[in-house]
Amino acid sequence: MRVITGKYRGRHFEVPRTFKARPTTDFAKENIFNVLRGYVDLEGATALDLFAGTGSITLELLSRGCSHVVSVEQDRDHHRFILQCVKSLNDEAAVVLRADAFRFIKGCHQQFDFIFADPPYALKELPQIPGLVFEHQLLAPGGVFVFEHGKDNDFSGHPHFVEHRSYGSVNFSLFVNS
């Protein structure tokens, strides 16, 4: 896993082979962040990485200058790995929480300029996540929410949906809190 651009550009982190989570591919990650340039300035932004998995997006957000990044991952080993990666960068902008993403959403009283969520594609509650993010007002006005999901999901009917991007087997739906 590597950081694509920013102050930590080119840094590599070896993801243990025992991990169940798959990091967003470099190709998909690079392309979605290129699309995001037209929607949000990450420099100084507050960000949330839900279902953080390997922490790939958290590291990318830190590298791109987010002032505050909250990373939420329930798996103990994945959480520990993300903590180690963040500590190796010596970046104090990150808060890495070991928590259930759904409980976090329901109990969070903070708003974010940018939210990225990459739940397991087979998660039965996956279709509910965009609605929960907006219902609990996690996204700040003008904020952008990127939702990574499988090809069988269609969120184009959601009132905050703005576009869908597909890179191989990786699909992203983008939402804006206008």
Side-chain angles (χ1 to χ4, degrees), residues 136-158:
H136 292 278
Q137 301 178 6
L138 267 64
L139 195 61
V144 176
F145 170 40
V146 174
F147 190 46
E148 185 175 336
H149 56 84
K151 64 180 178 4
D152 296 331
N153 300 101
D154 178 8
F155 296 97
S156 60
H158 191 282

Side-chain angles (χ1 to χ4, degrees), residues 64-84:
R64 291 170 187 257
C66 286
S67 64
H68 183 69
V69 179
V70 176
S71 180
V72 179
E73 175 54 44
Q74 185 172 3
D75 183 275
R76 182 191 63 212
D77 295 333
H78 295 201
H79 171 259
R80 188 178 313 126
F81 177 75
I82 298 166
L83 272 175
Q84 289 171 350

Side-chain angles (χ1 to χ4, degrees), residues 10-62:
R11 292 283 301 265
H12 286 267
F13 300 90
E14 197 63 40
V15 178
R17 294 187 190 278
T18 58
F19 275 21
K20 298 168 279 213
R22 33 109 194 97
T24 302
T25 65
D26 285 353
F27 176 74
K29 185 166 59 170
E30 187 168 10
N31 279 289
I32 197 63
F33 274 98
N34 285 339
V35 169
L36 286 172
R37 283 191 218 156
Y39 287 99
V40 64
D41 181 6
L42 293 173
E43 185 70 38
T46 57
L48 172 62
D49 184 8
L50 280 172
F51 304 93
T54 62
S56 173
I57 299 300
T58 294
L59 300 173
E60 198 68 44
L61 292 168
L62 291 169

